[in-house]
Structure formats: C-alpha cells, structure tokens
Amino acid sequence: MVFASRYPGEIKEMEGYGWKGATEGTFDWKVFLENKNQEITRLNNVYQNFVLKNAGVEVIEATGSLASPNSVSVHTTATGETSLVTAKNILVAVGGWPFKPDIPGIEHAITSNEIFYLEEQPKRIVVVGGGFIALEFASIMDGLGSDVTLMYRGDLFLRGFDGDMRNHLKEEMENNSGIDVKFNTDPKEISKKDDGTLVVVDRDGNELECDAILYATGRKGKIDGLGLDKAGVTTKGTFIPVDDYSQTNVPSVYAVGDITDRIALTPVALMEGHRLSDTLFGGKDRPVDHEYVASTVFTTPEIGTVGYSEEDAAAKFGDIDVYKNRFRAMKHSFPKSETYSLFKIIVDSKTQRVVGCHVATDGAGEMVQGVAIAIKMGATKEDFDNTIGIHPTSAEELVTMRTPSYYYRGGAKTDTLE
C-alpha cells in the first residue's frame, strides 16, 4: 500500500523533467486488494511449505492454552478435538491486537486489521492516533486519493521519536499532502446515518462526516484464553514480563514479540526468537539486545532512525554534539517541488561515538539500514568523516556534515562552546 500510494507524487513531478501529459489515472481498490491477497497467499505458502516444513516443524491449525508449566491444551479447529502436548520448554509468541477505546459507536470503527479487507475504498476517512501506524495509514490513504483527517489527542504526533523529525514530518504533511491534521482532538462519539455515512463528534462538539474511521491508538497483548494463570505465568496488564533471555517468571515458559511489550517491531521479534533458540538449543549465551535498533516510519517522506533521539541522548550522555541539515533534495529541486529532507547525527562528545542518526527523506529506511550496521558496531564521527560520499545523492550528507549545529553540555543545550 505504501508503494501504491506514492505513484501520484512521482507523476506530479514528471512535467518538471520534461514529460508532458502525464496524469495520475484512477486507482482501482479492488484490483489492488486482489493482487495483495495473491501476494500474501504466496508468502504464506513459502513459510508453511518451505521454511517451516524444511525445518521439520509440525504445524497444527488449532487454538492452544497452557495447562501447566510443561503442557499445552490443543483444540484442533478442523475436528473439534482437544489433546494435550507436553514439552520441556514452551514459547508464547501470539503478538498483539489493536486497541479501541470504549466510546459510543466504537463498533463502527475499524483498525489496521480490517482496512486491508474493505470492499470499497473510503472516499473520506478519519484516522485516530499519533503513532507510526496512524501516520502511515494517513499517508497511504491520502496518496491513494481519499480525503484524510488525522485526529490526535496530543500536541504533536510520534511521541518518543526525535523532536526535529516529528516537527519536520508535521511541516511536510501540512505543506505537501492533503491530510487535515487536527491536534488536541479526540473523538467522543461515533454515529451512523441511514445512508451508511459515519459522523465523528470530538470532545469539543465538532462534527465530521466520513465513510470510515480507523483507530490506531495502541495495541494490547493478545493474552485472552492462553491459560497463563494455570501455568503460574505472571502478567502485567495484557503483556507478559520477561528477562533478557525472554524467560517469564516460570522457568519453562518463554515469550517473544509484541506480547512482551518491549519493542513492537517484526524484526525485533525475529531477533528475540532467534537468540532464544541459540540459547536453548545452540549452545550459546545470547540475551536480547534492544539498543541501536533501526526502524522506519513509512510516511511520505519516510523517517529512518537508529539510536538515541536528541532528547534521550542529552539525558543519557549529558555531553553531545548535534549535526543537522535541512535541504531540498536534487530529485525535488529540479521540478521545483517544495519538499525538503532533514538529516541529523548525534555524537557522544566524550567518546565521539555516533549514538543517533535520524533521516527524513525519500528511501530513508533503505538508507538507515546500512548506517545502522556502522552505528551498532560503534562507529565514531571520525569514521563517518573518513568515509567518501557517493555523489550526487542525499545520503552523502551523512558523511559531509563537519560542524555541529549546536551542543549539549551537562544536559543543557548551547549554541557555542567557550
């Protein structure tokens, strides 16, 4: 959906490169969903028939619940029969589920689960939330031609991300998208008219009509029906607390992924599972490692990030140097589009180690994945400076920023050093 949503933006810039008569065309939601379903089926077959099967994994289509610290009650869907499976170790990896608040009419709202299966593309959609899922779907639906309103109850979205990146994305959304961003706005009621139109009423009494309302206001652990109490597994809210080896309070029971409420990203869950397998069965001592995890917010523009935000780095290290540059990339400069990129590097001034890199630009995710390797290995600012840039690219900015934009000393910001 991200790829599909970006083609109109590419076409708008074509005339600046000399292409005449190019138009966005008409997006066919049904064709896209059919192709999406085919691709998901293909991927599922790859995992089931090749990856899992070749690894000797027995797959049982059933629901399971813990019966004891070393047994799982298995209810087979096809036959309706229940059996008991015993094991030395049990791993819980059931993931999370979108959370929807208890307000009148919430049954009319959808989540990121259901939007993939809507029969018709909503012409008008309200997205509620301020995390990366909310922003990604707001960008996607805007790119696909829907009228999008983003409602967030706070002052600025992407809480926990670097402040400059948050503000930059806000500016880009306001200047270069059709998204109507409404901060300090929270729905209190949803109603449905006879013609199917939804009416969202916020806490100030303002009404907004739409065809769909998508809630992306967080996720909760999917622990219902797991029988964790029967095995004596401790929970915290809807999540399962674990140690650095993904072990619960019960020595034979482990948990990885979103159900543990650590970092809710698919590659992180893969890392946790891989390290657990290495520890239990590979003869290695491999605790999880959640420092310097790279991630991307697939908005337009993308935000790629690895390491500490400016705010967190100042709090942790005290003394940091911040390198930053905002510019118009060549791709957008040529057709004179008012689209800007923001590059930022954060350095621990005592060791000169690069402890944070944040990029807002086209293809930021692809770019930062490579940078993340260097940062994870402990690269210093001098290592970055000694690396020859690739010209002409936006990415060369990462190795050509020589002078700090400002500093922090003792956790306090200063523009100059005496």
Side-chain angles (χ1 to χ4, degrees):
M1 293 183 85
V2 173
F3 294 144
S5 71
R6 289 177 177 165
Y7 282 104
E10 300 282 337
I11 293 170
K12 286 178 182 177
E13 291 188 325
M14 288 177 64
E15 189 171 353
Y17 284 96
W19 290 94
K20 301 292 186 180
T23 63
E24 296 178 16
T26 303
F27 180 70
D28 193 318
W29 179 267
K30 286 185 168 59
V31 169
F32 175 80
L33 290 189
E34 289 173 3
N35 293 338
K36 179 268 298 181
N37 291 337
Q38 291 176 8
E39 179 63 9
I40 291 176
T41 299
R42 184 189 70 81
L43 290 172
N44 285 339
N45 287 334
V46 168
Y47 281 111
Q48 176 129 350
N49 298 324
F50 294 95
V51 178
L52 295 176
K53 185 176 181 180
N54 290 342
V57 176
E58 178 187 2
V59 178
I60 303 173
E61 294 188 1
T63 57
S65 61
L66 274 66
S68 74
N70 295 102
S71 62
V72 176
S73 177
V74 179
H75 180 73
T76 306
T77 306
T79 64
E81 297 177 351
T82 300
S83 58
L84 197 67
V85 176
T86 59
K88 179 181 179 181
N89 300 300
I90 296 173
L91 173 62
V92 181
V94 295
W97 199 256
F99 166 78
K100 293 196 294 185
D102 185 16
I103 64 171
I106 194 64
E107 68 273 10
H108 301 305
I110 61 172
T111 69
S112 55
N113 288 351
E114 294 83 26
I115 193 170
F116 292 104
Y117 301 98
L118 294 180
E119 293 184 2
E120 300 287 341
Q121 178 182 354
K123 290 182 171 59
R124 302 162 300 173
I125 184 169
V126 172
V127 179
V128 183
F132 65 92
I133 294 177
L135 297 187
E136 287 173 349
F137 274 107
S139 288
I140 288 169
M141 298 308 293
D142 173 61
L144 296 181
S146 297
D147 291 332
V148 180
T149 299
L150 177 67
M151 294 184 177
Y152 178 50
R153 64 183 180 181
D155 295 326
L156 185 62
F157 44 49
L158 287 182
R159 182 166 53 91
F161 284 75
D162 184 87
D164 282 329
M165 294 294 128
R166 299 169 69 193
N167 280 298
H168 181 78
L169 183 59
K170 171 180 174 289
E171 292 174 5
E172 289 296 311
M173 277 190 166
E174 290 176 344
N175 296 333
N176 296 310
S177 81
I179 302 170
D180 183 9
V181 181
K182 295 182 181 295
F183 293 113
N184 301 301
T185 303
D186 195 20
K188 70 173 183 180
E189 181 181 350
I190 306 168
S191 60
K192 188 174 185 178
K193 293 184 175 181
D194 292 339
D195 63 358
T197 299
L198 300 178
V199 180
V200 181
V201 183
D202 67 24
R203 299 198 179 278
D204 292 327
N206 301 307
E207 295 186 0
L208 181 65
E209 292 189 352
C210 62
D211 303 303
I213 176 168
L214 185 150
Y215 262 83
T217 51
R219 297 172 69 84
K220 60 181 181 179
K222 203 174 178 182
I223 63 172
D224 293 343
L226 289 183
L228 298 174
D229 56 329
K230 294 181 180 178
V233 176
T234 298
T235 58
K236 184 177 181 180
T238 62
F239 298 101
I240 303 176
V242 293
D243 63 15
D244 288 343
Y245 292 88
S246 298
Q247 189 175 47
T248 70
N249 65 300
V250 178
S252 60
V253 181
Y254 298 81
V256 300
D258 292 7
I259 192 69
T260 64
D261 197 26
R262 291 181 282 187
I263 298 179
L265 295 170
T266 299
V268 172
L270 292 172
M271 175 271 291
E272 293 168 355
H274 198 163
R275 287 178 176 242
L276 174 61
S277 297
D278 284 344
T279 300
L280 293 180
F281 310 112
K284 301 177 182 179
D285 185 358
R286 297 197 72 197
V288 297
D289 183 1
H290 292 110
E291 191 173 31
Y292 299 110
V293 173
S295 64
T296 298
V297 184
F298 289 100
T299 46
T300 303
E302 286 182 7
I303 293 179
T305 177
V306 58
Y308 294 86
S309 67
E310 176 182 322
E311 297 81 5
D312 289 343
K316 180 177 177 65
F317 301 103
D319 296 352
I320 61 172
D321 304 335
V322 179
Y323 299 77
K324 183 169 65 174
N325 195 18
R326 179 179 181 269
F327 59 95
R328 187 163 57 174
M330 181 183 294
K331 175 183 177 182
H332 303 299
S333 178
F334 196 89
K336 298 179 174 58
S337 299
E338 292 297 322
T339 299
Y340 290 86
S341 298
L342 180 63
F343 280 61
K344 188 172 183 180
I345 294 174
I346 300 166
V347 178
D348 175 5
S349 61
K350 296 185 180 71
T351 64
Q352 284 299 294
R353 178 177 181 176
V354 178
V355 297
C357 179
H358 311 278
V359 175
T361 193
D362 301 321
E366 300 283 358
M367 193 182 301
V368 169
Q369 178 64 87
V371 177
I373 299 172
I375 292 179
K376 187 68 175 176
M377 292 176 68
T380 64
K381 184 60 170 64
E382 185 178 9
D383 293 325
F384 275 54
D385 294 343
N386 286 335
T387 302
I388 305 299
I390 302 172
H391 184 76
T393 65
S394 294
E396 66 181 310
E397 196 69 24
L398 294 169
V399 297
T400 57
M401 288 189 286
R402 294 288 188 263
T403 304
S405 301
Y406 47 87
Y407 312 83
Y408 282 78
R409 292 297 182 263
K413 184 177 179 180
T414 178
D415 290 332
T416 59
L417 296 178
E418 297 181 359

